[in-house]
């Protein structure tokens, strides 16, 4: 995993020139109070290099810096769990102006406005109406970097589409191009709302029929795939149960051996205690015999002295 993170770090450290400013592509500088929610900290960090973070199938952390990467696989109908698609966008949802703020190191790391990014085509389509949104980058230390992040965000904002997608193969192709699975909101290209109104009404019936057909095909394929996956998981579960039963048998055998070993150890401890008591008793008897022998030696010396004294008196 370290080599993958190194690739992303090297991409961020690449020297680029933007609007006459030469600097690393993406830099990060920030701090946060200890009571800040971890999610907020992660979002502030990832926003500095237009990144996303996830876990792979092995539970490893995946971090990708903002750039286009050629897809390595193609989504087919069996990958579709469901989707949502709409051929228009409400005024409340539209955004065509981004007001960028950063953390300026030249002003004691206070938050300042770095500039404004305009989507002139969308503004013209809306008869000059601007729909602003604040893009706060509290961990971004460069105004040129902040404007580049705003440009990338502007290109990823949803737009109205010219007409419904009438073939499910077209829907699959769009999903593959966007790299999305699960719930999909497809808002591509950028024609005027007048073109949308003119074409959406004309193709409404055809579009709805195509979507229903796509859903039927997708759900049929998905059901078959799910059935196979359930059978595979059932077989895996049975194998797991067999292994668990074998493991339980081995555990019981080990516990039985442990019980026998504990009994043998207890018997050995009893025998050792008996032997220890015998040693103590024998030592006591030995000490008593030695004391008695010393006493008898003293009595013998006294008798010898009496006998010698008696012999001298007779002579």
């Amino acid at each position: 995993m370290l080599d993958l993170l190194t690739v992303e770090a090297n991409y961020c450290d690449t020297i680029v020139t933007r609007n006459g400013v030469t600097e690393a592509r993406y830099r990060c500088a920030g701090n946060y109070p200890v009571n800040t929610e971890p999610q907020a900290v992660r979002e502030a960090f990832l926003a500095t290099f237009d990144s996303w973070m996830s876990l792979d199938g092995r539970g490893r952390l995946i971090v990708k810096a903002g750039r286009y990467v050629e897809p390595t696989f193609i989504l087919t109908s069996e990958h579709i769990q469901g989707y949502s698609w709409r051929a228009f966008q409400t005024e409340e949802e539209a955004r065509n102006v981004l007001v960028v703020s950063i953390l300026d190191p030249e002003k004691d790391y206070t938050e300042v406005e770095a500039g404004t990014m305009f989507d002139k085509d969308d503004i013209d389509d809306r008869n000059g109406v601007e729909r602003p949104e604040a893009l706060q980058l509290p961990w971004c230390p460069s105004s040129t970097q902040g404007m580049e992040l705003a440009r990338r965000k502007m290109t990823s904002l949803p737009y109205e589409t010219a007409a419904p997608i009438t073939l499910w193969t077209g829907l699959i192709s769009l999903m593959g191009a966007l790299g999305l699975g699960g719930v999909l909101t497809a808002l591509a290209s950028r024609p005027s709302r007048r073109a949308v109104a003119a074409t959406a009404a004309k193709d409404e019936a055809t579009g709805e029929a195509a979507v229903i057909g796509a859903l039927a095909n997708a759900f049929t394929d998905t059901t078959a795939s799910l059935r196979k996956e359930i059978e595979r998981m059932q077989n895996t579960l049975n194998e797991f149960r067999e292994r668990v039963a074998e493991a339980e048998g081995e555990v019981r055998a080990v516990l039985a051996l442990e019980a026998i070993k504990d009994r043998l150890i207890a018997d050995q401890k009893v025998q050792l205690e008996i032997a220890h008591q015998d040693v103590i008793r024998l030592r006591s008897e030995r000490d008593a015999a030695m004391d008695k022998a010393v006493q008898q030696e003293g009595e013998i010396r006294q008798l010898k002295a009496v006998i010698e004294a008696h012999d001298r008196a007779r002579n």
Side-chain angles (χ1 to χ4, degrees):
M1 292 303 301
L2 183 59
D3 56 339
L4 298 179
L5 293 175
T6 301
V7 170
E8 304 306 313
N10 291 338
Y11 179 77
C12 293
D13 291 338
T14 303
I15 301 301
V16 296
T17 300
R18 294 180 289 231
N19 295 330
V21 178
T22 301
E23 60 185 357
R25 176 177 279 109
Y26 296 125
R27 291 183 295 160
C28 176
N31 58 74
Y32 59 91
V34 294
N35 60 347
T36 305
E37 290 294 331
Q39 180 64 24
V41 177
R42 286 193 293 269
E43 290 176 355
F45 167 68
L46 296 175
T48 61
F49 56 113
D50 192 25
S51 176
W52 59 269
M53 180 173 64
S54 182
L55 297 176
D56 66 4
R58 299 181 180 179
R60 300 176 300 183
L61 186 65
I62 300 297
V63 178
K64 292 293 184 181
R67 66 182 183 277
Y68 175 76
V69 177
E70 191 70 27
T72 58
F73 66 96
I74 298 176
L75 293 175
T76 63
S77 59
E78 65 180 4
H79 300 116
I80 301 176
Q81 302 297 317
Y83 70 90
S84 174
W85 181 81
R86 189 176 62 186
F88 65 93
Q89 185 180 45
T90 64
E91 286 290 336
E92 292 76 12
E93 296 173 320
R95 295 293 180 268
N96 52 27
V97 178
L98 293 177
V99 181
V100 185
S101 61
I102 64 165
L103 196 68
D104 192 347
E106 296 182 358
K107 297 184 179 179
D108 295 330
Y109 290 93
T110 57
E111 187 173 352
V112 299
E113 184 173 322
T116 304
M117 181 67 63
F118 296 92
D119 185 345
K120 295 182 179 180
D121 292 338
D122 190 81
I123 293 174
D124 292 340
D125 287 342
R126 299 180 187 279
N127 298 321
V129 177
E130 296 183 359
R131 306 292 297 181
E133 179 179 82
L135 178 59
Q136 294 179 310
L137 302 169
W139 283 27
C140 176
S142 166
S143 59
T144 52
Q145 176 181 334
M147 295 305 294
E148 171 63 17
L149 292 170
R151 184 192 66 80
R152 292 185 57 84
K153 181 177 177 63
M154 185 70 77
T155 59
S156 65
L157 291 176
Y159 295 99
E160 298 176 349
T161 60
I165 299 175
T166 57
L167 294 176
W168 74 272
T169 53
L171 176 62
I172 301 303
S173 299
L174 177 60
M175 290 184 67
L178 297 179
L180 298 176
V183 178
L184 171 66
T185 301
L187 298 171
S189 69
R190 296 192 304 177
S192 66
R193 288 173 294 166
R194 293 186 294 273
V196 173
T199 57
K202 175 182 177 181
D203 295 333
E204 181 178 1
T206 304
E208 289 181 354
V211 169
I212 293 173
L215 279 175
N217 291 333
F219 288 152
T220 300
D221 294 340
T222 300
T223 302
S225 300
L226 286 175
R227 185 180 297 108
K228 292 179 181 179
E229 183 64 16
I230 291 172
E231 292 176 354
R232 185 189 65 79
M233 294 179 65
Q234 187 64 46
N235 293 333
T236 302
L237 179 61
N238 293 335
E239 293 178 1
F240 180 73
R241 286 174 175 171
E242 292 177 358
R243 293 179 182 178
V244 169
E246 294 175 358
E248 289 178 347
E250 294 176 357
V251 169
R252 286 193 294 270
V254 170
L255 291 176
L257 292 175
E258 289 289 336
I260 295 173
K261 184 184 70 174
D262 291 341
R263 286 197 298 270
L264 292 175
I265 291 175
D267 293 341
Q268 292 294 328
K269 287 182 177 180
V270 172
Q271 295 297 327
L272 182 62
E273 181 64 24
I274 294 174
H276 180 66
Q277 294 299 327
D278 289 341
V279 169
I280 294 175
R281 179 178 57 78
L282 291 173
R283 285 179 178 176
S284 298
E285 292 177 355
R286 182 200 63 184
D287 293 341
M290 291 179 65
D291 292 342
K292 186 175 182 180
V294 171
Q295 181 181 359
Q296 289 177 346
E297 288 179 357
E299 292 175 353
I300 290 173
R301 285 195 296 271
Q302 289 178 357
L303 289 174
K304 286 182 177 180
V306 171
I307 293 172
E308 290 175 356
H310 180 70
D311 291 340
R312 285 194 301 270
R314 287 178 58 186
N315 295 330

